[in-house]
Every structure is written in structure tokens, then in C-alpha cells.
Amino acid sequence: MGIPFSQVPTWDDRTPIYVISVAAQLAGMHPQTLRQYDRLGLVTPSRASGRGRRYSAYDVAKLRYVQHLSQEEGVNLAGIRHVLALQSEVEDLRKRVNQLLAEVQRGVGASKRSTGSRVFSAGPAGDVIAMGRQQTTTRWIRTQPLELGPR
């Protein structure tokens, strides 16, 4: 009868499925070029249990991008490594921003649902003090005029 569809494994674009010869053919490169890029850390594939390289669709797209930068844009391999590192950092930062935005949205939603609102005040040293609902603050009144210095 087979396994139910819900238990069929799914693949995304980062699932390592291609051996080096297939990945090289899909990227339009020689397998030795892929090995060189792996040694340089430009495109690092996953490893199978027998230590063979396994490339994902994402890796193949990255290989094509590296080839584009090298051949059409004239970027050397050190420059490509730098470009890829910066793009990775931007991707990580975007993920972090999205996480923080989600946290803020959850916080805003929680504050709208709560019955009490929070009130803050500034203390005498400029620090922020959370106030209770019925709490009052001591008013700090300057008794001496503020000196602005020589004119």
C-alpha cells in the first residue's frame, strides 16, 4: 500500500541531494571547480556518510552566482568570498530584525489587551522609574537659577 502522503519526506531548496557531478552539470562547471570552491569556502556542500559531497538546489544557485561574479563582473575569488560573507551577514540581520519586529508586535498586542497602562517617570539622576497606577512622584523643583556659563 505504501506510506501515507503526510509521511512522505519533503525537500526544500537547502536539502542536499545532488552528487558533485550532477551539481557541476546543473551549474555549468567542471567538478574540479566545485572542489576548488569547497576548499576556498565559497560554496561548502554537505557531506554524505561516505564523505561524498552533496549539493542542494541552494548550493547550485550559489555556484551560478559565484560564476556570474567571477566571469561577468570580473570579481576575484577573494572579493567573491567577501561579497558572500556580507550577503550572509545581511541575511542574518534581516532574520534578526524580523524576530525583533515580531516580538514588538506581540508586546504591542499584549499591551493593548492589558487593562492597565504603564507610566514612567524620570528620577532626579535622569533614570527611568516605572510608576504604579496610583503612585505619585516627588516633584523636583530647582531653587537656584540654572547657570549657562559665560556669555
Side-chain angles (χ1 to χ4, degrees):
M1 168 148 189
I3 59 175
F5 184 73
S6 62
Q7 294 179 358
V8 173
T10 58
W11 290 276
D12 62 11
D13 62 342
R14 294 192 187 241
T15 302
I17 55 176
Y18 303 115
V19 294
I20 191 167
S21 60
V22 174
Q25 185 177 9
L26 290 171
M29 299 177 175
H30 192 277
Q32 198 61 33
T33 305
L34 275 64
R35 289 183 187 94
Q36 177 71 15
Y37 288 172
D38 185 13
R39 278 191 294 278
L40 294 172
L42 296 176
V43 180
T44 306
S46 299
R47 296 287 182 159
S49 58
R51 300 296 299 150
R53 293 172 174 88
R54 294 291 184 267
Y55 290 85
S56 66
Y58 177 82
D59 293 331
V60 172
K62 195 171 178 180
L63 287 166
R64 289 180 183 157
Y65 181 64
V66 168
Q67 185 178 39
H68 166 78
L69 289 174
S70 175
Q71 293 179 355
E72 296 176 27
E73 300 294 330
V75 181
N76 65 18
L77 295 178
I80 291 172
R81 183 181 304 120
H82 190 66
V83 166
L84 293 175
L86 290 173
Q87 288 178 336
S88 177
E89 185 178 350
V90 167
E91 185 178 321
D92 292 343
L93 290 171
R94 282 188 178 144
K95 287 177 186 175
R96 182 66 181 138
V97 165
N98 288 333
Q99 289 171 348
L100 292 172
L101 286 173
E103 288 178 25
V104 167
Q105 290 299 321
R106 283 192 303 270
V108 167
S111 68
K112 286 181 181 177
R113 288 188 304 272
S114 67
T115 56
S117 61
R118 298 192 69 185
V119 177
F120 297 93
S121 179
D127 50 333
V128 177
I129 304 169
M131 306 295 295
R133 297 197 83 192
Q134 301 298 321
Q135 188 176 359
T136 60
T137 61
T138 304
R139 181 169 232 163
W140 297 90
I141 300 173
R142 184 177 300 278
T143 57
Q144 299 293 324
L146 184 62
E147 295 185 27
L148 300 174
R151 291 186 179 190

